[in-house]
Amino acid sequence: MTQLLESLFGGLSIGSVLLLSALGLAIVFGLMGVINMAHGELMMLGAYTTFVVQNAFKKTPLEGFYIFFALIAAFIVTALLGLLLERGVIRYLYGRPLETLLATWGVSLILQQFVRSVSWQFIAGLLIFCLLFFGAMGVLSRLANFERIRGWVIGLMLPISAAISLTISHILGQTYKLAVTNPWFGTQGVDVTAPKWLRGGLPIVKEYQLPYTRLFIIVLTVVCVLGIYWFLNKTAWGLRIRAVTQNRNMSACLGIPTATVDALTFAIGSGLAGIAGCAVSLLGSVSPNTGQSYIVDTFMVVVVGGVGKLVGSIVAASAIGVISYVVSSNALGPLVGFSESLKGLFEFFATASMAKVMVFALIVIFLQFRPAGLFPQKGRTVDA
Amino acid sequence: MTQTNSTVAIQPSELGVNPLLEITNLNVYYGESHILRNVDMGVAAGKMVCLIGRNGVGKTTLLKSIMGLLKPRQGMIKLMGEPILTRTPDQRARSGIGYVPQGREIIPRLTVGENLLLGLEARPGKGRKAEIPEEIFDLFPVLKTMLWRMGGDLSGGQQQQLAIARALMGKPRLLVLDEPTEGIQPSIILEIEAAVRRIVETTGIGVLLVEQHLHFVRQADWYYAMQKGGIVAAGPTSELSNDVVQRFLAV
Ligand SMILES: Nc1ncnc2c1ncn2[C@@H]1O[C@H](COP(=O)(O)OP(=O)(O)OP(=O)(O)O)[C@@H](O)[C@H]1O
Ligand SMILES: [Mg+2]
């Protein structure tokens, strides 16, 4: 009994992290039919945002409640970044899923490297470059014959602004030395400490207590799911998103601004990644690679859950969470005590990585029977 | 009946006075196959214009080009005097084109009410109230009883009426209908016919209709006949001869 409860709660808390991170991915996947490979990195950035907010709130009266500000900040930062990503890259690749996959993967690598090397010097250089390049483009685009000279302008301004910004940031580095060249985060992980009231745990049974952080994440997940459900089903923009998800062309013909819907959906999906990242930061140390360890699991949730159904993602995330926990903690081991070989087999899978192999295998088998996921769409599917 | 070579436009005389939609020299390709060839046509406000032609001649292609779902390689499309070729489909809808596509394209997992509300997206001037005006139910009484049903669960005839109602929700200046009677039983066809006729008479909007049923075609004021992607004949529907009917209608 204890064992069962423990694995249920353990699994649920793993599942809720999975669900939280898969939620944004599932919405974007439903709309565009594409997996955003940078979703994990958006989570990672959400986690780093939490770290920054935590430090900003140190020694202030609100220190204990920094986590709420961090949640909001993480949502805003990653939503804006998602917006930039959609407007800057992904919108040019609609209808080309393979290229989108590669492009977002590239973005994920860039984001990882960005977090490793970001410093004041780096930021200053980047800002100067953007100011020069986009400023020049903005000014010159007023010229009447801009379309014709566009190629030339880009060819000329790109190296010039790059050279100027590199020189300035180099000079900055020379003058102020470590004060500006020291990376903010570096390649090592950083640690977010949960506020005092989240330390400790709720004793469920004698030997097992549910850590408050886990409980907090479960509650956070429930709130997010309800919020998204409300947004999709009760608001005008939610209706537009559902319409575009189901029939993009017809939605456009009805007058729905599909480009705005895409941008908004992507921003919300990314913002949810930020919230998931904030939650993840409570569970362990955060490094630039944090996102990578989540993208595959969240992808599995989306695939198993089926496209376009929130319920699918919820059930899939809980199921995958519970199965992972049960397998890796060898909760069923004692039940098969009668057979030595079975017991050996169970013990063999009772490590984190072997549990993952097991879950993978189960998913592959599952998809043989239900190729469209738990809750397949009736009728016509999304034509993205 | 008036025979033309396809570069000469034959248009109803009202068009010069009150042009709603004007298409000149339109050429559309699917990849390398040339589908529409030098199409010239027009629709005047307050008039119902019918486009006839056998299966696969390019009628749907023409309507999709008007909506912006296809990009013409050459030609001009003007709505109320303004060129619209650079606009996206959603901008065209907001400029006043209501589209009822072939196959109806009801959003399946939205309720009938939600499908209708989506029609409001095309209406210029935001801040409008999100409710369905009574006129819609006067035209299509069936819809009133099934507002909470899923769009995908309606019968073909009901979906067709929903699709027309949805387009009307946006108060379009031009209503474009692609085979609204395809696969629908005769009594419902008569209902749809009457509704469309009533819309033209009471609202003064223009209607561009693609149709195969002779009875419905005769409700229009003007016809264009299409063959191999070009307009080959045009005239008032009162002058529709048996010869034309046999050549261009698939009935
Ligand atoms: N997506 C497509 N790709 C390539 N060719 C197409 C495509 N859609 C239509 N066509 C071709 O374009 C031609 C015109 O098609 P269109 O749908 O406009 O015909 P239609 O006049 O509407 O016919 P129907 O009366 O059957 O609806 C046909 O020969 C068709 O095969
Ligand atoms: Mg057709």
Side-chain angles (χ1 to χ4, degrees):
Chain A
M1 191 60 206
T2 317
Q3 276 274 331
L4 197 71
L5 259 181
E6 184 186 331
S7 37
L8 196 67
F9 272 109
L12 267 186
S13 70
I14 293 183
S16 60
V17 173
L18 270 182
L19 178 55
L20 205 51
S21 48
L23 205 55
L25 200 67
I27 295 171
V28 170
F29 184 51
L31 188 80
M32 318 185 326
V34 160
I35 290 288
N36 172 18
M37 294 295 277
H39 194 80
E41 275 59 40
L42 290 168
M43 280 175 70
M44 179 264 289
L45 285 174
Y48 273 96
T49 309
T50 311
F51 176 71
V52 170
V53 171
Q54 172 195 260
N55 286 349
F57 273 81
K58 275 230 168 92
K59 309 252 164 22
T60 66
L62 286 171
E63 191 175 350
F65 300 96
Y66 83 86
I67 193 75
F68 296 107
F69 296 94
L71 281 171
I72 297 168
F75 183 87
I76 293 175
V77 167
T78 51
L80 287 180
L81 202 70
L83 196 65
L84 197 70
L85 182 59
E86 202 272 344
R87 290 288 86 184
V89 181
I90 293 175
R91 74 163 152 154
Y92 299 107
L93 300 173
Y94 280 126
R96 287 184 275 172
L98 222 53
E99 277 145 82
T100 315
L101 214 62
L102 283 177
T104 51
W105 185 57
V107 169
S108 79
L109 295 183
I110 293 175
L111 289 178
Q112 283 177 30
Q113 194 52 45
F114 173 80
V115 170
R116 284 192 197 107
S117 48
V118 63
S119 63
W120 287 113
Q121 184 192 23
F122 187 97
I123 289 282
L126 199 67
L127 272 182
I128 294 170
F129 175 80
C130 289
L131 222 62
L132 283 176
F133 183 66
F134 292 107
M137 294 296 279
V139 170
L140 290 175
S141 67
R142 303 236 179 88
L143 295 180
N145 59 350
F146 179 69
E147 281 311 315
R148 250 183 308 135
I149 58 168
R150 190 193 187 104
W152 281 101
V153 172
I154 294 181
L156 203 65
M157 279 317 291
L158 211 61
I160 292 182
S161 8
I164 295 180
S165 51
L166 273 179
T167 319
I168 295 186
S169 63
H170 185 71
I171 295 172
L172 271 178
Q174 291 291 309
T175 4
Y176 297 103
K177 298 276 163 19
L178 263 184
V180 293
T181 53
N182 202 21
W184 291 357
F185 309 116
T187 47
Q188 296 298 310
V190 297
D191 280 302
V192 170
T193 39
K196 275 204 193 67
W197 52 276
L198 275 182
R199 292 178 209 150
L202 186 71
I204 305 255
V205 283
K206 230 176 13 281
E207 315 88 81
Y208 178 72
Q209 55 176 4
L210 186 62
Y212 283 130
T213 45
R214 294 272 181 191
L215 208 59
F216 179 74
I217 292 174
I218 293 180
V219 172
L220 183 66
T221 307
V222 171
V223 169
C224 284
V225 169
L226 289 179
I228 285 298
Y229 182 86
W230 172 83
F231 176 76
L232 286 179
N233 287 290
K234 302 284 176 218
T235 66
W237 280 104
L239 178 61
R240 292 181 190 121
I241 291 175
R242 282 182 294 146
V244 175
T245 302
Q246 292 180 48
N247 190 338
R248 173 174 293 268
N249 272 346
M250 192 57 219
S251 299
C253 289
L254 288 170
I256 298 174
T258 48
T260 316
V261 167
D262 290 335
L264 179 77
T265 312
F266 209 86
I268 291 176
S270 307
L272 284 171
I275 290 186
C278 191
V280 163
S281 73
L282 295 175
L283 296 178
S285 100
V286 180
S287 78
N289 303 328
T290 297
Q292 284 185 322
S293 46
Y294 283 93
I295 186 71
V296 176
D297 290 341
T298 46
F299 181 42
M300 289 193 297
V301 170
V302 175
V303 170
V304 172
V307 188
K309 281 268 192 196
L310 233 44
V311 196
S313 302
I314 296 172
V315 176
S318 319
I320 293 179
V322 170
I323 293 174
S324 309
Y325 193 86
V326 167
V327 174
S328 66
S329 66
N330 199 11
L332 295 182
L335 295 184
V336 290
F338 54 86
S339 150
E340 273 309 308
S341 53
L342 256 183
K343 205 166 147 197
L345 187 72
F346 274 53
E347 265 159 23
F348 176 67
F349 280 108
T351 61
S353 51
M354 283 321 282
K356 200 158 253 177
V357 171
M358 182 77 170
V359 171
F360 255 129
L362 287 177
I363 287 175
V364 170
I365 295 169
F366 169 80
L367 287 177
Q368 300 307 307
F369 295 102
R370 302 287 290 264
L374 280 170
F375 295 91
Q377 307 265 303
K378 274 185 288 174
R380 58 178 298 160
T381 47
V382 193
D383 40 341
Chain B
M1 182 188 116
T2 335
Q3 279 284 2
T4 68
N5 65 33
S6 53
T7 53
V8 177
I10 297 244
Q11 281 160 1
S13 53
E14 305 89 18
L15 192 71
V17 191
N18 206 353
L20 186 58
L21 177 76
E22 293 164 282
I23 297 177
T24 35
N25 197 27
L26 196 71
N27 281 279
V28 179
Y29 291 71
Y30 268 123
E32 278 315 303
S33 53
H34 197 168
I35 307 293
L36 293 184
R37 296 161 190 270
N38 307 323
V39 170
D40 290 298
M41 65 167 305
V43 178
K47 294 289 168 190
M48 183 166 160
V49 170
C50 187
L51 182 65
I52 55 178
R54 300 217 161 228
N55 290 135
V57 295
K59 305 181 297 293
T60 300
T61 307
L62 177 57
L63 300 197
K64 282 187 175 170
S65 313
I66 295 173
M67 242 4 256
L69 293 173
L70 292 173
K71 262 205 167 9
R73 211 175 268 188
Q74 193 190 26
M76 171 64 85
I77 302 181
K78 285 184 177 177
L79 185 73
M80 294 177 281
E82 285 176 41
I84 57 169
L85 276 180
T86 53
R87 299 183 194 171
T88 56
D90 54 299
Q91 288 169 334
R92 294 187 202 200
R94 292 195 294 274
S95 315
I97 309 181
Y99 181 45
V100 180
Q102 190 167 19
R104 313 179 256 277
E105 309 278 330
I106 296 301
I107 316 267
R109 278 168 295 108
L110 295 187
T111 64
V112 171
E114 285 172 329
N115 267 285
L116 283 172
L117 285 183
L118 284 182
L120 286 178
E121 298 286 327
R123 201 182 289 186
K126 296 286 159 182
R128 76 261 142 145
K129 262 189 285 178
E131 56 184 42
I132 301 153
E134 207 52 39
E135 299 103 276
I136 296 289
F137 299 123
D138 291 343
L139 282 169
F140 304 107
V142 257
L143 297 182
K144 189 155 195 171
T145 58
M146 35 187 73
L147 284 179
W148 294 101
R149 296 261 295 273
M150 282 293 155
D153 295 343
L154 300 195
S155 76
Q158 292 161 346
Q159 284 194 351
Q160 191 65 62
Q161 301 185 51
L162 173 57
I164 300 174
R166 181 177 66 179
L168 289 175
M169 289 285 289
K171 293 217 185 308
R173 309 292 285 272
L174 172 71
L175 182 62
V176 176
L177 302 161
D178 199 346
E179 308 213 14
T181 62
E182 197 180 29
I184 285 173
Q185 72 187 45
S187 69
I188 308 276
I189 294 185
L190 288 179
E191 264 177 49
I192 292 178
E193 252 181 67
V196 172
R197 193 66 241 177
R198 222 170 102 199
I199 294 160
V200 176
E201 274 152 20
T202 56
T203 62
I205 67 175
V207 171
L208 175 57
L209 170 75
V210 170
E211 193 39 76
Q212 302 277 2
H213 282 91
L214 184 56
H215 189 267
F216 202 168
V217 173
R218 286 199 188 282
Q219 305 288 315
D221 301 290
W222 191 269
Y223 77 87
Y224 288 97
M226 233 185 177
Q227 201 170 47
K228 295 193 186 136
I231 304 283
V232 292
T237 46
S238 52
E239 292 171 16
L240 255 180
S241 64
N242 285 337
D243 172 42
V244 173
V245 169
Q246 261 174 19
R247 273 176 54 205
F248 299 113
L249 286 186
V251 281

